[in-house]
Amino acid sequence: MLYCVMIDVNLPADMDPAALAKLKETERLRAIELQESGKFVHLWRVAGRMANVSIFDCDSNDELHELLTSLPMFPYFSLKIVPLAKHPSSIK
Amino acid sequence: MLYCVMIDVNLPADMDPAALAKLKETERLRAIELQESGKFVHLWRVAGRMANVSIFDCDSNDELHELLTSLPMFPYFSLKIVPLAKHPSSIK
Amino acid sequence: MLYCVMIDVNLPADMDPAALAKLKETERLRAIELQESGKFVHLWRVAGRMANVSIFDCDSNDELHELLTSLPMFPYFSLKIVPLAKHPSSIK
Amino acid sequence: MLYCVMIDVNLPADMDPAALAKLKETERLRAIELQESGKFVHLWRVAGRMANVSIFDCDSNDELHELLTSLPMFPYFSLKIVPLAKHPSSIK
Amino acid sequence: MLYCVMIDVNLPADMDPAALAKLKETERLRAIELQESGKFVHLWRVAGRMANVSIFDCDSNDELHELLTSLPMFPYFSLKIVPLAKHPSSIK
Amino acid sequence: MLYCVMIDVNLPADMDPAALAKLKETERLRAIELQESGKFVHLWRVAGRMANVSIFDCDSNDELHELLTSLPMFPYFSLKIVPLAKHPSSIK
Amino acid sequence: MLYCVMIDVNLPADMDPAALAKLKETERLRAIELQESGKFVHLWRVAGRMANVSIFDCDSNDELHELLTSLPMFPYFSLKIVPLAKHPSSIK
Amino acid sequence: MLYCVMIDVNLPADMDPAALAKLKETERLRAIELQESGKFVHLWRVAGRMANVSIFDCDSNDELHELLTSLPMFPYFSLKIVPLAKHPSSIK
Amino acid sequence: MLYCVMIDVNLPADMDPAALAKLKETERLRAIELQESGKFVHLWRVAGRMANVSIFDCDSNDELHELLTSLPMFPYFSLKIVPLAKHPSSIK
Amino acid sequence: MLYCVMIDVNLPADMDPAALAKLKETERLRAIELQESGKFVHLWRVAGRMANVSIFDCDSNDELHELLTSLPMFPYFSLKIVPLAKHPSSIK
């Protein structure tokens, strides 16, 4: 079951560079881990912004919640979730 | 080059049923044609609404414009386009 | 799996009274049918408005889409869906 | 008399972890207490966000105000209240 | 129990003058009737607009819903309801 | 001449408790003083929020400005003013 | 006592040209009459739009309401009123 | 003096095809005429939408108003104007 | 050439009183200077808010930019500019 | 391929003057460098605001992302990107 998740990452402009670098690295590792699990099926950058468009494939709303809150940058997210269904004209 | 295209389809509630059926069928055929061309790479329905989340793969903004305006339901769309870039944490 | 569905019903103010009465009755019957199936677990009226707050219990986003679009007033809905998860402080 | 209360919890991202843990625990205890009183009838998490959808059953607007402001996280809430009435098609 | 009800009246600009006059008169009579019942305690016009600020005193959300939908212009309303509580600094 | 004034009070969540208590008390005293003068005719709490709906009776826009800015919490207000006129259906 | 009134004029794009010409002329005459009375002190066009910025000088909110609703295009207005007060740095 | 003008063209979806074709042609001719005059310096299509981003070079706000209202599709425009100034880092 | 400039002044609620008093005084002096130059033709306070409605008379967008940025409180402004043109019904 | 990029620069009002001056200078140098490369084809100031309207000419969404994030003030931007296509009435 798919969800489109649009995330804006609101990092403070004056964040400590070392803390920021560490946060980005732990975020990157967790994002890779989730992608390799098959639950996080697409991850795109919104051009020109600290924002992402993502597609998650989960068994339930609860699982989606668990995955998103496991991301280290979760406290800095403002996000919007769109539950997706099969489109009658999709050939997939 | 990818674009996320979010489309709301604002069909009048009192549309003539035959005209509506015909419009839906021509839309479906064109959507399939675009998917088979490889340019229209994902098409999902927004659960509970006459709305879609789509991913297009185009050579340019002009091509994207041409493809979207070739859809028979284009006059009824209100849409939002998000140009996508590669995400540094994507494994694809 | 629960979803909170907030629906505004935008019926034209000048709708034919007989057509409106018939639409309301078929809507009512379908709403009762969905409630009796156990899928449509709560249905409340927003005080002072032609609007509802509903809770649906579905197996998937696809099932939610199917149920909502089966309601006769669907073409007049503008709606917002909030996927729900278990709250850690809920005693249920 | 029912109210739907939609709450976003805007905790600062850099809150002290011990203070945060304590705040979460006092909030949890008060939420349980209110649920056991029968006044706080449903509590759901919005999937993927620090946000809730709640249903309160109160004797008056004043009681609703008293209950909400008794929650320890109240100063961090931005919330929206929808007064609910019986829906003519509800089977409950 | 008090509610502040803000109403915009969206009458079509090309409404038939006789129908409009009749609608205004039946609306006026019902508004007077509700005021005399003691349920509709304040009614003010928003300066420069076809809009009102009203205060209702009702026993429940259901009663508020019943009163508002009994107004002949209800189908043309877009409205916002604010449930009111006693203010700790009010001298009334 | 009446004005409806809707005020959100945006106090910082981490305000010093003693300063907050003092601010609340001076605010309460000034609100009482204005009510006793007959200029501040209604003061209601918005249920569930640090917000008010107020009705002021002033001789001019200038007087309204003077009264509102004399409230100690004014620097924390975000407010919206609706100038009111007599409604043709009001019985007062 | 001054008010800034921002008006968008929402004339239907397919209005009958003769009716439109007549409406514009009666509007123009009434606007001139109000300006000559000294109540309508400034009238500017918003560049590039069917919209105005106006300054009215009235004795009360009621008078402002009376003047605005006397304009023939009033049913097509969407407007926003800002009550003005003397600015401490104004040299007038 | 430059202005950025963002225009959405809200043509009715059911417009008569011959009237639409004629309107588009007269619009095109006037747009070309304005470009050749040197006043309409850039004209871009917003990809995927019936919308434009334009740059006008005018002597005054009045001239900008005159040029925009001379476009045959003006009654169908919703537009936003941004007055532009020289940027200190521009090399032009 | 006229512009309507609507300014909200977002001063921090906890600003140092001496710094605030000095900022207000330098702002006042510059505002007077601009009014005396004939470029800043109207300055009104929005009743009940730290906000202004102003009318500037400038030779160009660049001059408007220069004047606004010369105000000492400019870093605290959020503002909206409406370029004005002559209204066909204005008698001035 | 062109993009219209609208940028608001949200510098904190209390930024250290020396750090601000240095940031502005590095921003200016990078903006000039990008203009000289031919990728950053127009740069205008929004009159009266710390905001810009820019036109970029890039080979791809990825290149646009790379250029924008290379600007030293990027962490302070809130921006909106409009992908542009050729307009059928453009004479260029």
Side-chain angles (χ1 to χ4, degrees), chain A residues 9-38:
Chain A
V9 186
N10 308 120
L11 297 171
D14 61 353
M15 208 176 187
D16 170 66
L20 177 59
K22 187 176 164 195
L23 180 61
K24 283 187 172 174
E25 182 56 16
T26 55
E27 178 77 10
R28 197 179 66 84
L29 293 178
R30 181 62 181 141
I32 289 170
E33 192 175 39
L34 289 179
Q35 289 173 84
E36 285 171 345
S37 76

Side-chain angles (χ1 to χ4, degrees), chain B residues 14-57:
Chain B
D14 61 353
M15 207 175 189
D16 170 65
L20 177 59
K22 188 177 163 194
L23 180 61
K24 283 187 172 174
E25 182 57 15
T26 54
E27 178 79 9
R28 197 179 65 85
L29 293 178
R30 181 62 181 141
I32 288 170
E33 192 174 41
L34 290 178
Q35 289 173 83
E36 287 172 344
S37 76
K39 298 287 182 184
F40 192 171
V41 290
H42 295 291
L43 169 57
W44 299 292
R45 167 104 319 164
V46 175
R49 291 180 42 215
M50 272 296 283
N52 311 321
V53 173
S54 301
I55 306 291
F56 281 82
D57 186 353

Side-chain angles (χ1 to χ4, degrees), chain E residues 2 4 6 24 27-29 31-32 35-36 41-48 51-53 55 82-92, chain F residues 2 4 6 24 27-29 31-32 35-36 41-47 51-53 55 80 82-92:
Chain E
L2 300 180
C4 179
M6 279 156 288
K24 283 187 173 175
E27 178 77 9
R28 197 179 65 85
L29 293 178
I32 289 170
Q35 288 173 84
E36 287 171 345
V41 291
H42 293 290
L43 169 56
W44 299 292
R45 168 106 317 165
V46 175
N52 312 320
V53 173
I55 306 291
V82 181
L84 300 175
K86 180 155 176 52
H87 192 288
S89 303
S90 172
I91 63 175
K92 289 196 179 169
Chain F
L2 301 180
C4 180
M6 279 155 289
K24 283 186 173 177
E27 177 78 8
R28 197 179 65 83
L29 293 178
I32 288 170
Q35 287 173 86
E36 287 172 344
V41 291
H42 294 291
L43 169 56
W44 299 292
R45 168 103 322 163
V46 175
N52 311 320
V53 173
I55 306 290
K80 188 171 171 291
V82 181
L84 299 175
K86 181 156 174 51
H87 192 288
S89 303
S90 172
I91 62 174
K92 290 195 179 167

